[in-house]
Amino acid sequence: MLSTSRPLTMRVLAAWCLALSFAARGGLAAEADIVRPEARLETDPVPHGADAADDPAIWLHPTDPAKSLIIGTDKQGALHVYGMDGHERQRVSDGCRPDNVDVLYGFKLGDRVVDLAVASTRASKASGVKVWRIDPETCTLTDVTAGGTLPVFGGRVPYGVCTYHSAKTGKTYFIVVDKAGRIEQHELHDAGAGTVKAAKVRELKLSSITEGCVADDELGFVYVAEENVGIWKFAAEPDGGDHATRVAKVGEHGLTADVEGLTIYGAAGGKGYLIASSQGSNTFVVYTREGDNGYVLTIDPKEGRIDDVNDTDGIAVINRPTSPQFPGGFLVVQDGSNKGGNQDFKLYDWRDIAGTRLLIDTEWNPRGR
Ligand code: CA
Ligand code: CA
Ligand code: CA
Ligand code: CA
């Protein structure tokens, strides 16, 4: 036994080293780097069948975390608003066909400072970007888009969108991207009478289809997912130039096309995580928020009381406590095939994801200043 066990151990060791070096070079995530949380809650399904739900955003209520909202798009219909119990509270702008949505805190509108939801819309009569004011008293959304829709790309149809509130200047923007890899940055302005308009301040370009994007307000970066290529990082200020750094590449650490939704988990000291939906592998890849956005680990959800997620488009994360069910924040992701119904959004307790490996910072404030 002893004489054969040694070569076998050596062979196992060699295979293990090979697997490790493969994982380190790229390819698949190593088993030790995979966390497998179960969804703890899901939203009501969207009303349209087939591929309809796309992108969620989280609005943190300024004073009562349990009144926070999840805002989700149905790209065949309306913008949907869900409470922290997952149930739908409101449906706005039905027929505008919103694709991506993001939240912007602290926009000066008239004599008030308000929070906004901003979505890229793809309906033929409402192609562009729409803006809603989020009322903290009623927790409802009201369309405040000057002229009904803000045109982008010279009237062409947009794909993804994210917002940017500059910590440096206090100015507010949206960044919109399209299927040809075009990127436009527009500054938001008060248009009077409680409405919001925008003016283009910068154009950028990638080589192929782009949708997912997210801005880091505090550190001043915008990340754009080029679906078949990887994740690019730009300076988010309009005078930041057109230099882009590829911080993640399809084929490395299990990142598998399409690269879809992006979101940022913020923590104190500029730390936290950039998370990407790796749609082709039904996983979510976690990178550092700071520095060169190095690979940290991979989230591969599993079925529990609630079914597993697959083919995920948009994602959103929050570090702050919301309802009593999520005292450590949560990650919400679109589910491409919801067991027994139309597509929906599923919520993961951040503590289940973080375990002992990731930061759990419930103090850092995504609302900023
Ligand atoms: Ca989004
Ligand atoms: Ca896409
Ligand atoms: Ca899975
Ligand atoms: Ca599912």
Side-chain angles (χ1 to χ4, degrees), residues 27-356:
L28 303 172
E31 185 58 34
D33 292 329
I34 300 173
V35 292
R36 302 183 193 280
E38 296 173 13
R40 299 295 178 191
L41 186 72
E42 61 189 328
T43 64
D44 290 336
V46 295
H48 290 89
D51 194 21
D54 197 273
D55 187 40
I58 302 162
W59 175 70
L60 179 68
H61 190 280
T63 56
D64 187 349
K67 288 185 180 166
S68 298
L69 300 173
I70 297 161
I71 302 168
T73 61
D74 175 344
K75 57 194 174 192
Q76 311 297 343
L79 191 67
H80 293 255
V81 183
Y82 307 96
M84 283 311 306
D85 58 0
H87 291 307
E88 187 178 5
R89 297 171 50 93
Q90 191 189 8
R91 196 176 289 194
V92 288
S93 308
D94 201 5
C96 77
R97 303 186 61 189
D99 187 70
N100 277 192
V101 62
D102 203 358
V103 160
L104 180 89
Y105 297 109
F107 180 78
K108 185 103 176 17
L109 186 62
D111 54 5
R112 292 194 291 176
V113 175
V114 302
D115 298 334
L116 303 175
V118 176
S120 49
T121 59
R122 296 173 54 80
S124 54
K125 285 181 183 165
S127 176
V129 165
K130 281 179 75 64
V131 182
W132 297 263
R133 179 171 48 78
I134 308 171
D135 186 333
E137 299 296 322
T138 59
C139 298
T140 56
L141 273 58
T142 304
D143 186 354
V144 292
T145 320
T149 309
L150 306 175
V152 297
F153 299 121
R156 286 187 293 258
V157 182
Y159 203 22
V161 75
C162 64
T163 61
Y164 173 56
H165 189 150
S166 171
K168 194 172 151 194
T169 65
K171 293 183 176 181
T172 54
Y173 307 87
F174 65 76
I175 290 118
V176 65
V177 305
D178 81 355
K179 290 190 179 183
R182 295 184 196 96
I183 303 167
E184 285 186 358
Q185 181 167 3
H186 293 241
E187 185 176 348
L188 291 164
H189 297 282
D190 185 339
T195 64
V196 178
K197 62 184 180 181
K200 185 168 70 180
V201 294
R202 181 164 67 148
E203 293 178 1
L204 298 164
K205 184 77 176 73
L206 289 170
S207 304
S208 64
I209 185 167
T210 52
E211 182 180 5
C213 52
V214 66
D216 189 323
D217 292 352
E218 193 178 45
L219 302 185
F221 296 111
V222 60
Y223 297 89
V224 178
E226 189 174 3
E227 295 191 354
N228 300 302
V229 176
I231 305 170
W232 296 91
K233 181 182 196 175
F234 295 90
E237 290 300 317
D239 62 357
D242 58 5
H243 177 74
T245 306
R246 184 163 63 185
V247 296
K249 190 177 174 184
V250 166
E252 284 183 357
H253 303 295
L255 186 66
T256 309
D258 301 351
V259 187
E260 286 280 340
L262 302 178
T263 187
I264 290 173
Y265 179 97
K271 292 195 185 325
Y273 307 101
L274 169 69
I275 309 174
S277 170
S278 174
Q279 192 178 59
S281 54
N282 301 317
T283 59
F284 306 90
V285 185
V286 180
Y287 306 91
T288 62
R289 177 184 174 214
E290 68 275 16
D292 295 330
N293 309 104
Y295 170 78
V296 179
L297 57 74
T298 297
I299 305 165
D300 184 359
K302 65 179 178 191
E303 181 162 36
R305 185 177 60 78
I306 296 171
D307 60 300
D308 194 5
V309 289
N310 63 288
D311 297 322
T312 294
D313 293 312
I315 64 177
V317 70
I318 190 158
N319 65 307
R320 292 287 283 246
T322 50
S323 58
Q325 190 181 1
F326 296 106
F330 66 93
L331 171 73
V332 56
V333 317
Q334 182 257 5
D335 183 9
S337 58
N338 174 36
K339 197 175 188 175
N342 290 340
Q343 294 182 340
D344 67 355
F345 301 95
K346 291 184 164 63
L347 280 72
Y348 296 87
D349 189 325
W350 181 256
R351 298 171 303 175
D352 291 343
I353 293 169
T356 55

